[in-house]
Amino acid sequence: MTRRLPPLYALRAFEAAARHASFTRAAEELAITQSAVSRHIRTLEDYFACRLFERRGRSLQLTDPARALLPGLSDGFDALERASATLRADDEVLRLKAPSTLTMRWLLARLSHFRLANPDSEVQLTSAWMDVDKVDFRHEPFDCAVLLSDGQFPDDWESALLFEEWLIPVCAAADAGPWSLSQLQAAEQLHPTPDRRDWRRWLQATGLSEQVPLKTGQLFDMLELGIVAAARGYGVSIGDLLMVAEDVSTGRLGLPWSTAVFSGDGYYLVWQRGHRAQARLQRLRDYLLAEVAAMQLPSVERVL
């Protein structure tokens, strides 16, 4: 019997866009452009002769036909994933998702060394920008992920805390501290998040929020951009103590104020409990934990 189905790529784009309520996020997940997602949705709308999405202000909402389509489609993709997994049972590649800044500043070099020491445990790394660190093991093609989190994960996940996030101001190496209070007050603040939460946390925890105003400054959407801008002398940003440690020790980055503040979050390696590659995931976990333990961090005051 001939199956009459709409194009699979269009169904995949619809399912991702419906799940995220965003064409942009669907495009990021599928590694295609936003315009490609829009074209795929139009293909389905032509096929079904109905609208699937409506824009109401800034929000993207499903139409009634789309809501009827989505549950069965999601179940179908889950079934395809499970069927495909049976053919990958002997696959030696671990697919790892991680935040962009962590990848560039710490993880990439460690994974290169891990591959050399463990030739039977290849790790395929996908570096992703995430406004909120998350992974969906049901719908994304990853075996494990490193996430910045408070450690509250689903019951069917395994997790290991690699290191805690300690926030600390960073500047150009030539401007390294210790600074006076007046220098800190006059400095151009660079914000690695649009909501300026990292500077706000640091100032409140150090008791300086009344003396050092929270300024607008340049806004970035990832930690790495703030750190790079600070290193080039454009101002003072907030970095993570462990992720800037090597640049500080080699003189590529400076610390104007030697107080680090615990953000309440940490970087966790996570995977689904009972994963077929459990032994290799535990080997990766143990390796990354050993790498963290071997690091020499700057000597600073720590404030909870």
Side-chain angles (χ1 to χ4, degrees), residues 145-166:
V146 178
L147 305 177
L148 179 63
S149 170
D150 61 4
Q152 301 299 310
F153 299 116
D155 292 339
D156 61 343
W157 285 17
E158 299 273 4
S159 66
L161 174 63
L162 301 179
F163 60 92
E164 295 173 334
E165 182 184 46
W166 289 85

Side-chain angles (χ1 to χ4, degrees), residues 16-82:
R19 179 160 33 86
H20 290 294
S22 167
F23 285 8
T24 300
R25 297 216 175 163
E28 291 171 356
E29 176 182 318
L30 300 175
I32 59 178
T33 65
Q34 183 177 342
S35 61
V37 172
S38 297
R39 287 196 302 272
H40 296 337
I41 299 302
R42 286 197 299 273
T43 296
L44 280 187
E45 290 178 333
D46 290 343
Y47 181 91
F48 291 119
C50 67
R51 295 291 301 275
L52 296 175
F53 291 96
E54 293 179 344
R55 285 204 174 274
R56 296 180 182 173
R58 287 188 165 186
S59 65
L60 186 68
Q61 296 187 6
L62 295 173
T63 63
D64 289 340
R67 278 192 287 270
L69 174 65
L70 181 60
L73 196 57
S74 297
D75 290 343
F77 278 116
D78 289 344
L80 283 172
E81 179 68 21
R82 290 191 297 270

Side-chain angles (χ1 to χ4, degrees), residues 11-301:
L11 291 172
R12 189 71 182 92
F14 164 75
E15 191 274 339
R19 179 160 33 86
H20 290 294
S22 167
F23 285 8
T24 300
R25 297 216 175 163
E28 291 171 356
E29 176 182 318
L30 300 175
I32 59 178
T33 65
Q34 183 177 342
S35 61
V37 172
S38 297
R39 287 196 302 272
H40 296 337
I41 299 302
R42 286 197 299 273
T43 296
L44 280 187
E45 290 178 333
D46 290 343
Y47 181 91
F48 291 119
C50 67
R51 295 291 301 275
L52 296 175
F53 291 96
E54 293 179 344
R55 285 204 174 274
R56 296 180 182 173
R58 287 188 165 186
S59 65
L60 186 68
Q61 296 187 6
L62 295 173
T63 63
D64 289 340
R67 278 192 287 270
L69 174 65
L70 181 60
L73 196 57
S74 297
D75 290 343
F77 278 116
D78 289 344
L80 283 172
E81 179 68 21
R82 290 191 297 270
S84 299
T86 63
L87 297 182
R88 293 192 293 117
D90 297 325
D91 192 346
E92 295 297 327
V93 177
L94 290 177
R95 296 162 180 82
L96 169 64
K97 180 182 183 181
S100 299
T101 299
L102 177 72
T103 296
M104 291 182 282
R105 295 226 148 241
W106 188 78
L107 188 57
L108 188 59
R110 271 75 193 177
L111 290 181
S112 296
H113 299 153
F114 178 76
R115 291 188 190 99
L116 293 175
N118 300 271
D120 62 334
S121 295
E122 176 68 18
V123 179
Q124 179 181 334
L125 174 61
T126 296
S127 175
W129 177 86
M130 296 179 273
D131 55 348
V132 176
D133 285 14
K134 60 183 179 181
V135 65
D136 184 346
F137 288 123
R138 292 184 62 198
H139 297 98
E140 294 181 271
F142 301 112
D143 300 299
C144 55
V146 178
L147 305 177
L148 179 63
S149 170
D150 61 4
Q152 301 299 310
F153 299 116
D155 292 339
D156 61 343
W157 285 17
E158 299 273 4
S159 66
L161 174 63
L162 301 179
F163 60 92
E164 295 173 334
E165 182 184 46
W166 289 85
L167 303 174
I168 192 165
V170 293
C171 64
D175 299 326
W179 283 11
S180 66
L181 180 59
S182 60
Q183 283 178 288
L184 189 62
Q185 290 169 330
E188 174 76 8
Q189 290 176 5
L190 305 173
H191 299 279
T193 57
D195 60 6
R196 298 183 291 166
R197 65 178 178 269
D198 290 339
W199 265 112
R200 185 179 293 106
R201 283 175 177 172
W202 188 85
L203 290 170
Q204 289 175 348
T206 55
L208 293 173
S209 55
E210 296 295 324
Q211 298 164 283
V212 180
L214 182 67
K215 303 177 183 178
T216 54
Q218 180 65 53
L219 301 177
F220 299 100
D221 60 2
M222 60 185 296
L223 193 64
E224 174 68 11
L225 295 178
I227 294 172
V228 170
R232 294 181 179 178
Y234 298 131
V236 182
S237 188
I238 294 289
D240 174 86
L241 183 63
L242 183 140
M243 284 195 275
V244 302
E246 292 177 347
D247 277 359
V248 171
S249 67
T250 56
R252 295 191 296 266
L253 201 62
L255 299 180
W257 202 274
S258 60
T259 302
V261 168
F262 179 47
S263 72
D265 295 324
Y267 286 91
Y268 291 81
L269 178 66
V270 298
W271 66 91
Q272 285 190 299
R273 183 169 287 118
H275 193 285
R276 57 187 172 78
Q278 183 79 0
R280 284 182 285 135
L281 287 163
Q282 290 174 342
R283 192 183 313 153
L284 176 62
R285 174 202 62 194
D286 294 345
Y287 178 84
L288 294 177
L289 287 172
E291 286 291 306
V292 171
M295 289 197 67
Q296 298 294 318
L297 303 185
S299 179
V300 299
E301 178 190 5

